[in-house]
Amino acid sequence: KFDVTSMRYHSQVDLDRIKVLNCSDPSSASLEVLEFKTLPFVPKRIYWISDFVSGTTRGNHAHKNLNQLMLLIRGSIELKIYLGNYSKTYFLNRSTESVLVPAGHWRVMQNASSDAIMLVIADQEYDELDYIRDWQEYLTWHLNQNNEC
């Protein structure tokens, strides 16, 4: 089982994908299932983001301690993840696609389709003090995290 602490502060931006099961019945409805036991953390909060305005970005922050699973429910979106100055862009366009975003990673959602819905499962309740919303502050924080023993 994946341990979020093992991914926390290294220079790798290849993040884990959590499997979502497609249990659809073509004769009646689409059904995707995410079993919480497949998550590397206990969910404390679930929310979703929708009605993306064309040409804008969402996210633009990092969390010091919070881990998230970002799961596309509908539409398409680009999810750009940074660890310091390293980055990787994930192109999500199926309702079974997800990215596990550990603490310490900056995230930007961009180029979302007008019908996109992103579901986010977090391992902590909302805490404004956990957010880093300034890019330069994030880079300094990230450097300090990597210099600690």
Side-chain angles (χ1 to χ4, degrees):
K1 193 168 186 178
F2 176 76
D3 175 13
V4 289
T5 58
S6 69
M7 285 247 347
R8 201 148 172 202
Y9 300 114
H10 61 74
S11 60
Q12 187 69 260
V13 191
D14 290 321
L15 301 179
D16 278 7
R17 311 293 282 269
I18 302 294
K19 179 83 172 150
V20 177
L21 302 174
N22 184 334
C23 301
S24 297
D25 178 351
S27 67
S28 62
S30 177
L31 172 64
E32 283 85 20
V33 177
L34 173 71
E35 297 287 350
F36 281 174
K37 67 182 179 184
T38 65
L39 296 176
F41 56 77
V42 176
K44 297 275 179 84
R45 181 168 54 122
I46 298 174
Y47 61 93
W48 53 94
I49 305 165
S50 62
D51 299 321
F52 290 86
V53 175
S54 179
T56 64
T57 62
R58 288 281 311 186
N60 301 299
H61 66 269
H63 290 281
K64 298 172 190 172
N65 299 299
L66 179 129
N67 301 290
Q68 296 177 318
L69 178 71
M70 301 184 81
L71 173 65
L72 184 69
I73 298 297
R74 183 172 61 194
S76 62
I77 197 165
E78 291 177 25
L79 181 59
K80 192 164 189 175
I81 304 295
Y82 293 83
L83 187 58
N85 283 312
Y86 296 96
S87 70
K88 182 170 181 174
T89 301
Y90 295 86
F91 300 94
L92 307 178
N93 61 10
R94 289 192 307 268
S95 62
T96 56
E97 293 191 315
S98 66
V99 177
L100 183 65
V101 185
H105 290 69
W106 185 273
R107 78 278 335 267
V108 177
M109 291 174 275
Q110 58 194 21
N111 297 321
S113 62
S114 60
D115 64 339
I117 300 174
M118 178 70 79
L119 180 75
V120 182
I121 302 172
D123 70 346
Q124 296 181 23
E125 295 177 0
Y126 177 81
D127 178 4
E128 182 60 33
L129 297 176
D130 186 58
Y131 283 76
I132 304 172
R133 298 184 185 275
D134 178 80
W135 176 250
Q136 290 305 317
E137 180 183 335
Y138 165 70
L139 290 176
T140 300
W141 178 86
H142 174 73
L143 183 63
N144 289 336
Q145 296 301 312
N146 285 318
N147 287 333
E148 292 180 2
C149 296

